Amino acid sequence: MILRNPLKLLFYLCLLIVIFLVGYKVYLNLFMKDFKGLHTEQVERIQRNIDPESPISFAVLGNINNSIGIFEERIVPELNASGIDFMVSAGNAVSGGGEDKYRALYGSLGHLDIPYLLTFGAHEYEDFGSFRFYDHFGPHFFSILAGNSRLIFLDSTGKTPWQWQIRWLNDLLAKDSSKARILFIGHPPMEPEADAPFDQRSDYLQPREFRSALMREIKRHGIDLVFSANLSL
């Protein structure tokens, strides 16, 4: 009897956890508001609010990781009060690719008064998150004109073949007449001069051929700025 009661209690505890998790998944999929193609709406807001010949002001955040205490409660109010045109996540806006993580991010982004754009990063990709990112936000790599600047977003996760992206980038910039070119890619194409603590080879843009090809195109096409996340510095 001494042994059976704790086991019985453990069984009911596990059963309760399973019921809670299943119920939470049902709640997410059936009762929470669905959202699709958010980048379309955000791009329209950006281009509607910024004159085509005007310079732009924007904030870049990396590794938001579904933060409530820092991002939602402290950074979002500052962004709303700053007077900037929009915000960009350079990658890892979610802490994982699960549906609950994407919906939590959607709730946090809903507190922003300004438009936003997300880079498809490592955390957005994991746990089958690439399908959710495409459904909720849009393509994994894309480009827009914001004022007189060209914003380019690339996929560094391996989901999209890098050769295809380099060809697309060349075709895009060969016809581009913007006054500034800004690139966002989740994995850094360069390593920092000072050693990053606990960094791994996989934290940087892979494979090496992609990294080399991208650096050539950055120089060839005069890309002015490159923003990445994926490192905790």
Side-chain angles (χ1 to χ4, degrees):
M1 291 294 294
I2 296 176
L3 182 63
R4 289 180 61 188
N5 287 338
L7 290 177
K8 190 174 182 180
L9 179 63
L10 183 62
F11 169 77
Y12 284 117
L13 179 61
C14 291
L15 182 62
L16 184 64
I17 293 174
V18 170
I19 292 173
F20 172 77
L21 291 175
V22 172
Y24 183 58
K25 293 292 184 181
V26 171
Y27 167 74
L28 287 177
N29 288 282
L30 296 182
F31 296 101
M32 285 194 70
K33 179 182 177 182
D34 198 15
F35 55 103
K36 294 180 180 292
L38 292 179
H39 275 164
T40 301
E41 175 189 345
Q42 303 306 313
V43 171
E44 290 175 353
R45 290 177 63 192
I46 291 171
Q47 295 183 338
R48 183 170 61 246
N49 296 338
I50 303 175
D51 185 270
E53 296 302 318
S54 298
I56 59 175
S57 62
F58 62 97
V60 181
L61 280 70
N63 302 319
I64 294 172
N65 286 324
N66 284 119
S67 169
I68 301 296
I70 301 297
F71 174 66
E72 183 176 317
E73 296 180 358
R74 296 176 58 183
I75 295 180
V76 167
E78 292 194 25
L79 294 176
N80 289 337
S82 66
I84 60 175
D85 296 315
F86 57 92
M87 182 211 81
V88 178
S89 162
N92 297 339
V94 290
S95 58
E99 182 66 23
D100 56 331
K101 304 297 190 297
Y102 273 103
R103 291 186 178 270
L105 176 65
Y106 177 60
S108 295
L109 294 173
H111 295 280
L112 279 171
D113 296 333
I114 57 175
Y116 56 83
L117 297 169
L118 305 183
T119 305
F120 181 61
H123 290 180
E124 282 81 4
Y125 173 67
E126 63 188 27
D127 298 328
F128 302 103
S130 59
F131 302 102
R132 298 184 180 97
F133 185 93
Y134 190 91
D135 187 40
H136 292 318
F137 292 96
H140 302 127
F141 69 102
F142 61 97
S143 173
I144 74 163
L145 271 175
N148 56 21
S149 302
R150 167 71 63 182
L151 308 184
I152 304 160
F153 296 78
L154 294 183
D155 171 12
S156 64
T157 68
K159 174 68 176 178
T160 310
W162 67 265
Q163 298 92 334
W164 176 256
Q165 294 187 80
I166 293 295
R167 177 180 291 276
W168 171 82
L169 183 64
N170 273 321
D171 292 343
L172 174 72
L173 295 182
K175 305 170 185 176
D176 181 61
S177 59
S178 61
K179 295 182 180 179
R181 296 171 176 179
I182 305 169
L183 175 66
F184 301 90
I185 184 166
H187 292 75
M190 295 180 65
E191 298 183 13
E193 293 182 2
D195 289 340
F198 310 114
D199 64 334
Q200 303 291 327
R201 187 177 184 182
S202 58
D203 292 331
Y204 301 96
L205 185 61
Q206 301 293 336
R208 185 173 297 275
E209 292 80 5
F210 185 14
R211 190 189 308 186
S212 299
L214 181 59
M215 294 300 291
R216 285 196 301 269
E217 300 312 318
I218 288 172
K219 183 177 181 180
R220 174 186 173 190
H221 291 291
I223 292 176
D224 300 284
L225 297 169
V226 179
F227 289 99
S228 299
N230 215 54
L231 290 177
S232 299
L233 299 176

